[in-house]
Amino acid sequence: MSEILKWRSPEEAEQKRPSREAAMEAVRTLIAWAGDDPEREGLKDTPKRVVDAYREWFKGYDECPADELNRVFEDVSGYDDMVMLKKIDVESHCEHHIAPFLGKAYVAYLPTDAVVGISKIARVVEIFAKRLQTQETMTSQIAQSIEETLKPRGVAVLIDAEHQCMSTRGVHHKDVTTVTTQFTGAFKDDAELRNRFLKLAGYG
């Protein structure tokens, strides 16, 4: 099993995490580093809120993409063409600045003998998005997890996202988005099929 499909149980994850109080103390330190007083009235509960938010933003570390893809439906009446989900919400955080990047994912695969529930593809995107990421890595991970679990004839992934580490700091360029793609199997080998995917996604 590849590294991206390995999963640690909630119990294992808890053993590796610092305590909740240690995490809250780290937030207090960052507030002080920013120049404010973590004990003032408006900030007293901020460490608790930030720690709770982190558990939600990064819940993908406690979830397994293979589990979402393991249940398939074999009665597809001979359907063997592209299955595509468009405009899946991507809410992630870049691993360099822990700043959000927000956008949409487009995912397609060519089934062999069975298909997976469409919501499961969206869940796989969410699992990888709810981790510290680079967009390039996440695009590859989504494709690889579908490839390894479903064994389709090909997978195509496109993500288009705006990075707040670029729009709210650094160069301060707003409305600039980053587009990443990953193609496997027939999507990689067949330019006509790849272009059909891009056209359906609105990029062809």
Side-chain angles (χ1 to χ4, degrees):
M1 181 183 292
S2 74
E3 203 62 37
I4 66 165
L5 294 179
K6 289 181 180 177
W7 178 70
R8 61 185 186 185
S9 69
E11 293 76 19
E12 291 172 319
E14 282 305 312
Q15 290 174 2
K16 292 181 179 294
R17 281 194 177 95
S19 69
R20 181 178 175 84
E21 182 51 49
M24 290 171 61
E25 187 57 37
V27 177
R28 294 186 191 99
T29 299
L30 286 173
I31 291 171
W33 171 254
D36 214 322
D37 177 8
E39 297 304 319
R40 73 173 174 83
E41 189 61 32
L43 290 172
K44 277 186 177 180
D45 290 333
T46 297
K48 173 183 177 296
R49 296 189 190 102
V50 171
V51 169
D52 289 342
Y54 263 50
R55 289 305 293 267
E56 182 176 348
W57 286 336
F58 303 116
K59 65 182 180 179
Y61 287 113
D62 299 330
E63 298 174 325
C64 177
D67 285 349
E68 299 295 332
L69 297 170
N70 273 334
R71 185 183 177 190
V72 297
F73 303 96
E74 296 182 356
D75 183 13
V76 293
S77 300
Y79 184 84
D80 62 356
D81 202 357
M82 186 189 312
V83 177
M84 181 174 181
L85 274 72
K86 300 168 63 174
K87 299 182 180 179
I88 304 168
D89 286 330
V90 171
E91 299 175 355
S92 194
H93 288 74
C94 83
E95 63 186 39
H96 301 136
H97 303 94
I98 319 185
F101 64 92
L102 308 172
K104 300 290 183 182
Y106 303 78
V107 181
Y109 71 99
L110 291 165
T112 49
D113 300 322
V115 297
V116 70
I118 55 176
S119 67
K120 303 304 184 182
I121 299 294
R123 283 283 297 125
V124 168
V125 173
E126 182 182 50
I127 287 170
F128 286 116
K130 298 299 185 184
R131 301 177 181 185
L132 291 169
Q133 282 287 15
T134 68
Q135 184 175 326
E136 297 87 344
T137 298
M138 181 171 64
T139 306
S140 176
Q141 288 174 339
I142 293 167
Q144 186 180 345
S145 65
I146 296 170
E147 178 82 15
E148 291 188 12
T149 308
L150 296 183
K151 309 294 186 189
R153 289 180 290 121
V155 180
V157 180
L158 182 150
I159 297 177
D160 187 343
E162 179 180 338
H163 292 247
Q164 293 188 19
C165 60
M166 178 176 172
S167 63
T168 65
R169 60 162 298 284
V171 294
H172 289 275
H173 279 280
K174 300 184 184 299
D175 302 320
V176 175
T177 65
T178 299
V179 177
T180 50
T181 59
Q182 185 77 37
F183 301 105
T184 73
F187 285 103
K188 188 172 185 177
D189 299 334
D190 186 337
E192 184 177 343
L193 180 64
R194 185 168 61 249
N195 289 336
R196 182 154 71 97
F197 165 79
L198 292 171
K199 187 174 181 179
L200 286 170
Y203 293 82

PDB file of all heavy atoms in Angstrom, residues 1-19:
ATOM      1  N   MET A   1       0.849  -1.201   0.000  1.00  0.00           N
ATOM      2  CA  MET A   1       0.000   0.000   0.000  1.00  0.00           C
ATOM      3  C   MET A   1       0.880   1.244   0.000  1.00  0.00           C
ATOM      4  O   MET A   1       1.839   1.334   0.739  1.00  0.00           O
ATOM      5  CB  MET A   1      -0.898  -0.002   1.249  1.00  0.00           C
ATOM      6  CG  MET A   1      -1.841   1.199   1.336  1.00  0.00           C
ATOM      7  SD  MET A   1      -2.821   1.210   2.862  1.00  0.00           S
ATOM      8  CE  MET A   1      -3.875  -0.203   2.606  1.00  0.00           C
ATOM      9  N   SER A   2       0.546   2.208  -0.866  1.00  0.00           N
ATOM     10  CA  SER A   2       1.361   3.412  -0.942  1.00  0.00           C
ATOM     11  C   SER A   2       1.167   4.271   0.298  1.00  0.00           C
ATOM     12  O   SER A   2       0.198   4.136   1.049  1.00  0.00           O
ATOM     13  CB  SER A   2       1.005   4.228  -2.186  1.00  0.00           C
ATOM     14  OG  SER A   2      -0.234   4.868  -2.014  1.00  0.00           O
ATOM     15  N   GLU A   3       2.091   5.198   0.491  1.00  0.00           N
ATOM     16  CA  GLU A   3       2.085   6.039   1.690  1.00  0.00           C
ATOM     17  C   GLU A   3       0.807   6.853   1.808  1.00  0.00           C
ATOM     18  O   GLU A   3       0.293   7.055   2.905  1.00  0.00           O
ATOM     19  CB  GLU A   3       3.301   6.970   1.647  1.00  0.00           C
ATOM     20  CG  GLU A   3       3.729   7.490   3.006  1.00  0.00           C
ATOM     21  CD  GLU A   3       4.155   6.409   3.969  1.00  0.00           C
ATOM     22  OE1 GLU A   3       4.780   5.414   3.559  1.00  0.00           O
ATOM     23  OE2 GLU A   3       3.838   6.560   5.161  1.00  0.00           O
ATOM     24  N   ILE A   4       0.253   7.328   0.687  1.00  0.00           N
ATOM     25  CA  ILE A   4      -0.912   8.211   0.778  1.00  0.00           C
ATOM     26  C   ILE A   4      -2.164   7.473   1.208  1.00  0.00           C
ATOM     27  O   ILE A   4      -3.123   8.092   1.671  1.00  0.00           O
ATOM     28  CB  ILE A   4      -1.183   8.951  -0.549  1.00  0.00           C
ATOM     29  CG1 ILE A   4      -1.593   7.976  -1.648  1.00  0.00           C
ATOM     30  CG2 ILE A   4      -0.033   9.805  -0.968  1.00  0.00           C
ATOM     31  CD1 ILE A   4      -2.217   8.652  -2.845  1.00  0.00           C
ATOM     32  N   LEU A   5      -2.202   6.131   1.039  1.00  0.00           N
ATOM     33  CA  LEU A   5      -3.374   5.374   1.443  1.00  0.00           C
ATOM     34  C   LEU A   5      -3.244   4.802   2.848  1.00  0.00           C
ATOM     35  O   LEU A   5      -4.189   4.218   3.368  1.00  0.00           O
ATOM     36  CB  LEU A   5      -3.642   4.239   0.447  1.00  0.00           C
ATOM     37  CG  LEU A   5      -4.048   4.696  -0.956  1.00  0.00           C
ATOM     38  CD1 LEU A   5      -4.268   3.486  -1.849  1.00  0.00           C
ATOM     39  CD2 LEU A   5      -5.297   5.565  -0.923  1.00  0.00           C
ATOM     40  N   LYS A   6      -2.081   4.949   3.452  1.00  0.00           N
ATOM     41  CA  LYS A   6      -1.933   4.494   4.833  1.00  0.00           C
ATOM     42  C   LYS A   6      -2.713   5.425   5.756  1.00  0.00           C
ATOM     43  O   LYS A   6      -2.831   6.615   5.503  1.00  0.00           O
ATOM     44  CB  LYS A   6      -0.451   4.462   5.231  1.00  0.00           C
ATOM     45  CG  LYS A   6       0.308   3.342   4.546  1.00  0.00           C
ATOM     46  CD  LYS A   6       1.755   3.324   4.993  1.00  0.00           C
ATOM     47  CE  LYS A   6       2.510   2.194   4.312  1.00  0.00           C
ATOM     48  NZ  LYS A   6       3.941   2.189   4.657  1.00  0.00           N
ATOM     49  N   TRP A   7      -3.232   4.862   6.814  1.00  0.00           N
ATOM     50  CA  TRP A   7      -4.129   5.603   7.702  1.00  0.00           C
ATOM     51  C   TRP A   7      -3.792   5.288   9.141  1.00  0.00           C
ATOM     52  O   TRP A   7      -3.529   4.135   9.495  1.00  0.00           O
ATOM     53  CB  TRP A   7      -5.573   5.199   7.396  1.00  0.00           C
ATOM     54  CG  TRP A   7      -6.608   5.848   8.253  1.00  0.00           C
ATOM     55  CD1 TRP A   7      -6.976   7.154   8.244  1.00  0.00           C
ATOM     56  CD2 TRP A   7      -7.423   5.217   9.234  1.00  0.00           C
ATOM     57  NE1 TRP A   7      -7.978   7.386   9.155  1.00  0.00           N
ATOM     58  CE2 TRP A   7      -8.274   6.201   9.782  1.00  0.00           C
ATOM     59  CE3 TRP A   7      -7.525   3.904   9.702  1.00  0.00           C
ATOM     60  CZ2 TRP A   7      -9.206   5.927  10.770  1.00  0.00           C
ATOM     61  CZ3 TRP A   7      -8.450   3.632  10.688  1.00  0.00           C
ATOM     62  CH2 TRP A   7      -9.276   4.633  11.216  1.00  0.00           C
ATOM     63  N   ARG A   8      -3.793   6.315   9.968  1.00  0.00           N
ATOM     64  CA  ARG A   8      -3.595   6.073  11.400  1.00  0.00           C
ATOM     65  C   ARG A   8      -4.940   6.210  12.094  1.00  0.00           C
ATOM     66  O   ARG A   8      -5.741   7.071  11.745  1.00  0.00           O
ATOM     67  CB  ARG A   8      -2.575   7.059  11.978  1.00  0.00           C
ATOM     68  CG  ARG A   8      -2.977   8.523  11.864  1.00  0.00           C
ATOM     69  CD  ARG A   8      -1.866   9.425  12.348  1.00  0.00           C
ATOM     70  NE  ARG A   8      -2.303  10.822  12.377  1.00  0.00           N
ATOM     71  CZ  ARG A   8      -1.502  11.840  12.673  1.00  0.00           C
ATOM     72  NH1 ARG A   8      -0.238  11.605  12.941  1.00  0.00           N
ATOM     73  NH2 ARG A   8      -1.958  13.075  12.688  1.00  0.00           N
ATOM     74  N   SER A   9      -5.190   5.356  13.043  1.00  0.00           N
ATOM     75  CA  SER A   9      -6.458   5.395  13.762  1.00  0.00           C
ATOM     76  C   SER A   9      -6.530   6.656  14.606  1.00  0.00           C
ATOM     77  O   SER A   9      -5.498   7.276  14.923  1.00  0.00           O
ATOM     78  CB  SER A   9      -6.588   4.173  14.669  1.00  0.00           C
ATOM     79  OG  SER A   9      -5.646   4.276  15.746  1.00  0.00           O
ATOM     80  N   PRO A  10      -7.747   7.071  15.006  1.00  0.00           N
ATOM     81  CA  PRO A  10      -7.863   8.229  15.906  1.00  0.00           C
ATOM     82  C   PRO A  10      -7.036   8.067  17.182  1.00  0.00           C
ATOM     83  O   PRO A  10      -6.482   9.036  17.695  1.00  0.00           O
ATOM     84  CB  PRO A  10      -9.360   8.285  16.205  1.00  0.00           C
ATOM     85  CG  PRO A  10      -9.998   7.670  14.995  1.00  0.00           C
ATOM     86  CD  PRO A  10      -9.056   6.582  14.565  1.00  0.00           C
ATOM     87  N   GLU A  11      -6.937   6.824  17.672  1.00  0.00           N
ATOM     88  CA  GLU A  11      -6.148   6.581  18.887  1.00  0.00           C
ATOM     89  C   GLU A  11      -4.665   6.848  18.632  1.00  0.00           C
ATOM     90  O   GLU A  11      -3.980   7.489  19.448  1.00  0.00           O
ATOM     91  CB  GLU A  11      -6.349   5.135  19.361  1.00  0.00           C
ATOM     92  CG  GLU A  11      -7.740   4.797  19.859  1.00  0.00           C
ATOM     93  CD  GLU A  11      -8.745   4.611  18.727  1.00  0.00           C
ATOM     94  OE1 GLU A  11      -8.321   4.385  17.570  1.00  0.00           O
ATOM     95  OE2 GLU A  11      -9.959   4.699  18.991  1.00  0.00           O
ATOM     96  N   GLU A  12      -4.158   6.377  17.498  1.00  0.00           N
ATOM     97  CA  GLU A  12      -2.759   6.624  17.142  1.00  0.00           C
ATOM     98  C   GLU A  12      -2.500   8.111  16.937  1.00  0.00           C
ATOM     99  O   GLU A  12      -1.456   8.633  17.344  1.00  0.00           O
ATOM    100  CB  GLU A  12      -2.398   5.860  15.872  1.00  0.00           C
ATOM    101  CG  GLU A  12      -2.355   4.355  16.040  1.00  0.00           C
ATOM    102  CD  GLU A  12      -2.173   3.644  14.718  1.00  0.00           C
ATOM    103  OE1 GLU A  12      -2.805   4.057  13.729  1.00  0.00           O
ATOM    104  OE2 GLU A  12      -1.392   2.676  14.675  1.00  0.00           O
ATOM    105  N   ALA A  13      -3.458   8.780  16.298  1.00  0.00           N
ATOM    106  CA  ALA A  13      -3.310  10.213  16.052  1.00  0.00           C
ATOM    107  C   ALA A  13      -3.233  10.984  17.367  1.00  0.00           C
ATOM    108  O   ALA A  13      -2.415  11.902  17.520  1.00  0.00           O
ATOM    109  CB  ALA A  13      -4.471  10.726  15.201  1.00  0.00           C
ATOM    110  N   GLU A  14      -4.070  10.618  18.309  1.00  0.00           N
ATOM    111  CA  GLU A  14      -4.076  11.318  19.596  1.00  0.00           C
ATOM    112  C   GLU A  14      -2.754  11.132  20.333  1.00  0.00           C
ATOM    113  O   GLU A  14      -2.277  12.042  21.010  1.00  0.00           O
ATOM    114  CB  GLU A  14      -5.242  10.821  20.465  1.00  0.00           C
ATOM    115  CG  GLU A  14      -6.592  11.395  20.077  1.00  0.00           C
ATOM    116  CD  GLU A  14      -6.598  12.920  20.071  1.00  0.00           C
ATOM    117  OE1 GLU A  14      -6.126  13.532  21.047  1.00  0.00           O
ATOM    118  OE2 GLU A  14      -7.053  13.495  19.071  1.00  0.00           O
ATOM    119  N   GLN A  15      -2.165   9.960  20.212  1.00  0.00           N
ATOM    120  CA  GLN A  15      -0.892   9.700  20.886  1.00  0.00           C
ATOM    121  C   GLN A  15       0.221  10.582  20.344  1.00  0.00           C
ATOM    122  O   GLN A  15       1.145  10.958  21.066  1.00  0.00           O
ATOM    123  CB  GLN A  15      -0.508   8.227  20.735  1.00  0.00           C
ATOM    124  CG  GLN A  15      -1.391   7.277  21.532  1.00  0.00           C
ATOM    125  CD  GLN A  15      -1.067   5.821  21.248  1.00  0.00           C
ATOM    126  OE1 GLN A  15      -0.153   5.515  20.472  1.00  0.00           O
ATOM    127  NE2 GLN A  15      -1.818   4.917  21.859  1.00  0.00           N
ATOM    128  N   LYS A  16       0.145  10.946  19.077  1.00  0.00           N
ATOM    129  CA  LYS A  16       1.198  11.741  18.447  1.00  0.00           C
ATOM    130  C   LYS A  16       0.976  13.243  18.611  1.00  0.00           C
ATOM    131  O   LYS A  16       1.890  14.026  18.396  1.00  0.00           O
ATOM    132  CB  LYS A  16       1.290  11.388  16.955  1.00  0.00           C
ATOM    133  CG  LYS A  16       1.795   9.972  16.701  1.00  0.00           C
ATOM    134  CD  LYS A  16       1.900   9.687  15.217  1.00  0.00           C
ATOM    135  CE  LYS A  16       2.435   8.292  14.953  1.00  0.00           C
ATOM    136  NZ  LYS A  16       3.836   8.128  15.403  1.00  0.00           N
ATOM    137  N   ARG A  17      -0.254  13.636  18.970  1.00  0.00           N
ATOM    138  CA  ARG A  17      -0.555  15.064  19.084  1.00  0.00           C
ATOM    139  C   ARG A  17      -0.080  15.608  20.424  1.00  0.00           C
ATOM    140  O   ARG A  17      -0.159  14.932  21.449  1.00  0.00           O
ATOM    141  CB  ARG A  17      -2.062  15.301  18.991  1.00  0.00           C
ATOM    142  CG  ARG A  17      -2.615  15.268  17.588  1.00  0.00           C
ATOM    143  CD  ARG A  17      -4.029  15.855  17.556  1.00  0.00           C
ATOM    144  NE  ARG A  17      -4.530  15.885  16.191  1.00  0.00           N
ATOM    145  CZ  ARG A  17      -5.285  14.933  15.658  1.00  0.00           C
ATOM    146  NH1 ARG A  17      -5.634  13.881  16.387  1.00  0.00           N
ATOM    147  NH2 ARG A  17      -5.703  15.024  14.405  1.00  0.00           N
ATOM    148  N   PRO A  18       0.373  16.884  20.445  1.00  0.00           N
ATOM    149  CA  PRO A  18       0.575  17.554  21.730  1.00  0.00           C
ATOM    150  C   PRO A  18      -0.770  17.674  22.440  1.00  0.00           C
ATOM    151  O   PRO A  18      -1.832  17.490  21.839  1.00  0.00           O
ATOM    152  CB  PRO A  18       1.109  18.939  21.335  1.00  0.00           C
ATOM    153  CG  PRO A  18       1.564  18.793  19.923  1.00  0.00           C
ATOM    154  CD  PRO A  18       0.709  17.746  19.306  1.00  0.00           C
ATOM    155  N   SER A  19      -0.733  17.998  23.709  1.00  0.00           N
ATOM    156  CA  SER A  19      -1.985  18.157  24.446  1.00  0.00           C
ATOM    157  C   SER A  19      -2.743  19.380  23.946  1.00  0.00           C
ATOM    158  O   SER A  19      -2.171  20.286  23.326  1.00  0.00           O
ATOM    159  CB  SER A  19      -1.702  18.311  25.940  1.00  0.00           C
ATOM    160  OG  SER A  19      -1.068  19.568  26.186  1.00  0.00           O
TER     161      SER A  19
END
